[in-house]
Structures are given as structure tokens and as C-alpha cells.
Amino acid sequence: MKHFPVFLSVSGQHIALSGGGEAAVAKLRLLLKTEASLTVFAANAVPEIHSWAAQGKLTLINRPLQSGDLTNEVLFYAADEDDAEDARTSAIARDAGVLANIVDNLQDSQFITPAIVDRDPVTVAIGTEGAAPVLARAIKADLEERLSPNLGMLARVGKSFRKAAEALPWGRARRTFWADYYFKSGPRVETKGEVAAEQALDELLFSHLAAETSQGHVAFVGAGPGDPELLTLKARKALDTADVVIYDRLVAPEILELARREAQLIDAGKTPFGQQTPQEVINELIVTHAQKGHQVVRLKSGDPTVFGRLDEELDACAAAGVASHVVPGITAASAAVASIGQSLTKRGRNSGVRFLTGHDVAGFADHDWRDLAKPGQVAAIYMGKKAARFIQGRLIMHDADPATPVTVVENASRANQRVIASTIATLPTDLADADLAGPALTFVGLTPRAATATLTKFQQQELA
Ligand code: SAH
């Protein structure tokens, strides 16, 4: 590219031209479309230039350009159609530091004027660096035909509407709105003028806003183990924008408080072995609210993908054609293991870890207890409080060492967190003594590393 196309700001700037014949008139026609102030130097200007001067459209100086005439011009055109005169005037411009164009002399010009398709404020500039003027004209003719003569008006009206269109969320919603205006509703009214275009924009915005808000959505959000600081930023954003929050029993009240003030909070708590909200009812609750056009947050404790019956709820959304997505959270095992200063896996001890449930819908859950009973195995057991005796029985049955450590963390990450260090042999009695009331995570094969057990900032604040 020998010439780099730019759009020069000329509003309120000065442009000068030397010449008073046909070439000058042709350039002036183009320049008169700009907001620049024009000065023409010509001893014998044709009547058309005189008449523009009389109308105040340009300033005509009835003599040839002299050095000292150019001071603060941004552009200069040498349009005398006389090689010697053009060389003289363009030298004056160059000496004054003004960019000069010599009409029909690409070689000695500092800039060239492209072929222009003008739908102000939409402007298309076409240049071939002098290689193929015919091609430039053909492209221009093609575009002139393709772009409606009213495109400029549509763009002007559109520009003054940009602020109003910010009512739509940035991104896809706004892009679709503008595409609809420029390619559909705008062209339909463009011959009726600006007022009709403004009206079309108003109506279009109204219908896009309505469509935007009627698109319900479900976010399955992990609320983490309880400490609000263990929420992800994505979870916070989802809570900030939710219309409806459907939450589980284990979701901490401190986290519910982060929901948007206007949000409707619905308790879908399920108490194990107690009064339960049937899963079908929860599925229906989620779907119905989304179908009303609400932004629904289905808030689940920990991570939604761990023992959360997430698939049933996802399937219900899919079956109803409701869009959804999953926001992961910190699962109870991660929070609990952090609180005892241990790691879930350890070189030389266990290269895998199991997340198990103590009971499922059918009762106590069965697992590969034989494998688990081997030394060094680690398992994180969810919903295991009531299953202590069952777990003990199965492990002993498969020859586990009764002295194998078992650690129970109640209310992990919360102010009332408790850690009960036990063994397979004493688990049921230790748990009975502890009289656990909150959710508890049982680790088989891990013992608390007392010295490094730490409290989260939230726990310290609550205890202070
Ligand atoms: N989706 C959740 C688990 C739901 S099942 C998660 O990823 O954590 C419910 C079980 O999780 C409880 O019975 C308990 O075993 C465990 N749990 C949840 N929150 C807990 C907490 N703060 N401390 C200890 N265990 C917790």
C-alpha cells in the first residue's frame, strides 16, 4: 500500500485551492460537501465559482496564489491545469508545510482524493493508487446502486438513537437491534423521512426490549460450603441479576442475602429422612419461572454437580426448551479437607480419591467397600451422618484396620465448624457423643493435621 487511507477531520479547518477552470470546479463540488472553509485563488474564475463565492460558500481571491497566502490550511489543491503553474503553487504549499495535491498528477502529489460514495455520515472511499481509474469508477457505480440514497438519513437518525439503545444489554442483543434497523425496519420507512425513521426505531426498541426480557434462563449455581467468600465471582454476578432464586436447605443465609433485593426467594429445601419437596415439584418450579421470562438462579450448596440431582433439573429444562448453564462451586469435600490441613490425594499414599454418598434415594448406599478397606485409601463421604454404623460394619467386614483414621467435619467453612477426629473402631460412638446438628463430611483415611488447621477470615470474624 503506497497510500494509506484515513478520514481527515476538516470541520472548521481551512482548505485552499488554486485554479478557476473545470478541474477546479470538479474538485470544489466535492469539497463543498465538507464542513471545511474553502479559499480559491484564481485570476479568471468561471461564473460557477463566482456564484458560490456570492452565496458565501467559499472565499474567492481574484489573483494567483502568492507565497505567504497559505498559513494554517490542512490541504491544498493545485488545479490550474497548467504544469508550470501547478508546480509553482504546490511549491508554495510545500514550503508552508501544507499537504498538496496536484490534480491529475499522482507522481507529485502528497495525497490523492479517492472516489467517494457519499451517504454522509456513511462514506465509502475507493482508491486504486492510480492503477485503474476505470475500476474505481465501476466499484463506485456498483455501490451507488446498492446503497440506498436514504442510508445517510438512516445513519444520522440511528446515531442520535444510540443512547436510547443502551437500554438493551451490550453485545448480541444490541447488535441484533441495529441489524434489524438498518436492514429491515429502516429500509421499510426510509422514503418517509426522519420522523418515520425515529418512530420505527422507537417501536423496534420496544419490541426488542420485550423479547429480551421474555427470554427466561436458568443458572445452576454452586453456592459453596457456606462461607460467602468461597463463592465464585460468576455466582455473585448470577445472584446480582436473578429475578428468582430457588435454593436448597443447605445454602447459608449469608449467601441468600447477596441476591438482588427485588429477587423472589423460594425455599426448595429437602430434609433428609424428613419432609421433602419432591424432585418433580422442584423441576416444575424451575421451569415455570423460566417460562415466565425470569432469570432463575437455582442455588445449590457446594458444587451443583456433586450429589445435587443436577441432571434431573437440567433434563427438565431441556425438555421444556428452557436455556440453562452451570456455574461450578466449591464442594464440601474441598472445604472440609482444607480445614483439616490435609490434601485429598498424596504421593505414595493414594493416587485416587472417592466421593461417596452415605445414603441415596434407596437407602444406605453400597460401594466397593473391599477396595476402600485397603490401607491408604481416602474417601469423602457425603450425607454420611446416619450411616456411621453401616460404614463401620462394611469396612470391618472387608478387613479394614479398625485404627484407620476417620475425620468428620461439620459445617465446613462456617463459623460453627467442628472437626471430630475418630477411627473406624470408634466412629459410631464418637458421632453419637458429638451430637451433630449441621451438615457433615466424613473422611475415611484422613486425620487432621492439627498444627496447620486454619480458620477462614469469615470464621474469625464470626468468632470475634
Ligand atoms: N452439592 C453439595 C453436596 C450436596 S449433598 C456439595 O458439593 O458440597 C449434601 C451433603 O453435603 C451434606 O449431607 C454433607 O455431607 C455435605 N455438606 C454440604 N455442606 C457442607 C458443609 N458446609 N460442611 C460439611 N459437609 C457439608
Side-chain angles (χ1 to χ4, degrees):
M1 225 191 265
K2 287 206 176 63
H3 293 80
F4 181 64
V6 292
F7 287 89
L8 185 72
S9 165
V10 294
S11 177
Q13 303 287 338
H14 296 273
I15 296 178
L17 179 142
S18 170
E22 280 317 306
V25 168
K27 273 292 171 274
L28 286 171
R29 273 213 189 92
L30 207 55
L31 292 171
L32 281 169
K33 295 175 177 219
T34 72
E35 293 177 18
S37 45
L38 306 177
T39 309
V40 177
F41 296 86
N44 292 305
V46 294
E48 198 160 7
I49 298 178
H50 277 282
S51 120
W52 282 328
Q55 292 167 44
K57 290 185 175 166
L58 51 79
T59 306
L60 175 60
I61 314 270
N62 284 298
R63 58 162 174 80
L65 179 81
Q66 291 163 10
S67 75
D69 281 339
L70 301 179
T71 47
N72 59 349
E73 283 71 12
V74 287
L75 297 176
F76 172 73
Y77 283 89
D80 284 281
E81 300 168 82
D82 172 313
D83 289 347
E85 180 62 359
D86 285 341
R88 187 188 70 84
T89 60
S90 60
I92 293 177
R94 223 182 2 263
D95 289 347
V98 180
L99 284 179
N101 170 270
I102 304 172
V103 174
D104 289 336
N105 180 350
L106 178 73
Q107 195 66 32
D108 299 322
S109 291
Q110 288 169 289
F111 70 92
I112 50 179
T113 316
I116 291 171
V117 180
D118 173 22
R119 301 287 186 278
D120 183 44
V122 180
T123 317
V124 186
I126 305 150
T128 62
E129 302 195 323
V134 173
L135 186 58
R137 272 197 293 279
I139 296 171
K140 174 173 154 72
D142 184 40
L143 288 175
E144 290 286 5
E145 203 169 300
R146 262 201 267 173
L147 300 180
S148 148
N150 301 305
L151 185 65
M153 181 277 286
L154 288 182
R156 263 194 312 282
V157 173
K159 190 176 176 195
S160 63
F161 203 77
R162 291 189 73 84
K163 195 86 209 141
E166 284 173 15
L168 284 165
W170 183 83
R172 181 197 51 80
R174 234 181 269 171
R175 280 199 304 276
T176 328
F177 167 77
W178 286 116
D180 273 4
Y181 170 64
Y182 283 113
F183 303 113
K184 289 184 195 153
S185 66
R188 270 201 295 274
V189 300
E190 63 177 25
T191 54
K192 300 193 186 114
E194 294 202 2
V195 178
E198 277 160 20
Q199 219 165 355
L201 269 174
D202 273 332
E203 285 163 19
L204 195 64
L205 181 61
F206 184 80
S207 70
H208 273 249
L209 280 173
E212 189 59 29
T213 46
S214 69
Q215 290 279 316
H217 184 91
V218 180
F220 293 95
V221 177
D227 179 354
E229 291 202 335
L230 291 179
L231 273 179
T232 63
L233 291 176
K234 278 208 165 125
R236 287 220 56 164
K237 267 192 213 153
L239 285 170
D240 270 347
T241 51
D243 300 310
V244 181
V245 178
I246 302 172
Y247 63 96
D248 277 349
R249 185 181 58 90
L250 285 182
V251 174
E254 295 86 352
I255 285 168
L256 288 177
E257 270 173 30
L258 298 173
R260 196 162 70 95
R261 196 174 288 277
E262 298 78 22
Q264 184 187 352
L265 301 182
I266 300 172
D267 181 358
K270 281 179 288 195
T271 319
F273 304 109
Q275 196 63 40
Q276 295 197 13
T277 310
Q279 187 62 46
E280 304 71 51
V281 174
I282 298 177
N283 295 350
E284 195 168 326
L285 207 57
I286 297 170
V287 167
T288 333
H289 277 285
Q291 281 172 335
K292 281 187 199 155
H294 291 147
Q295 301 300 308
V296 178
V297 163
R298 171 68 173 118
L299 198 56
K300 290 170 166 293
S301 78
D303 182 273
T305 72
V306 178
F307 304 128
R309 299 188 75 172
L310 173 66
D311 297 75
E312 293 159 70
E313 297 176 9
L314 280 172
D315 288 345
C317 285
V322 167
S324 68
H325 76 291
V326 179
V327 178
I330 291 185
T331 190
S334 296
V337 82
S339 76
I340 61 168
Q342 288 288 9
S343 135
L344 287 172
T345 60
K346 186 178 177 184
R347 250 172 102 89
R349 183 191 64 201
N350 64 320
S351 57
V353 60
R354 290 181 177 80
F355 284 13
L356 310 175
T357 168
H359 73 81
D360 57 23
V361 277
F364 291 136
D366 235 322
H367 299 289
D368 187 355
W369 298 109
R370 179 185 303 282
D371 206 44
L372 250 180
K374 292 178 187 156
Q377 295 299 304
V378 172
I381 305 179
Y382 290 71
M383 295 175 280
K385 268 195 301 189
K386 300 255 169 155
R389 196 164 287 283
F390 171 76
I391 294 167
Q392 180 195 49
R394 289 298 149 109
L395 289 171
I396 298 288
M397 192 170 98
H398 289 101
D399 296 329
D401 178 355
T404 303
V406 176
T407 302
V408 178
V409 183
E410 184 199 22
N411 292 314
S413 89
R414 300 178 184 205
N416 50 356
Q417 171 181 297
R418 272 202 298 171
V419 176
I420 294 116
S422 179
T423 60
I424 291 180
T426 58
L427 183 64
T429 43
D430 286 347
L431 282 195
D433 290 349
D435 192 21
L436 302 174
L441 204 287
T442 303
F443 288 117
V444 174
L446 290 182
T447 184
R449 188 199 298 265
T452 57
T454 49
L455 293 179
T456 66
K457 200 170 109 205
F458 174 67
Q459 287 170 336
Q460 288 163 4
Q461 278 166 358
E462 290 290 308
L463 291 174

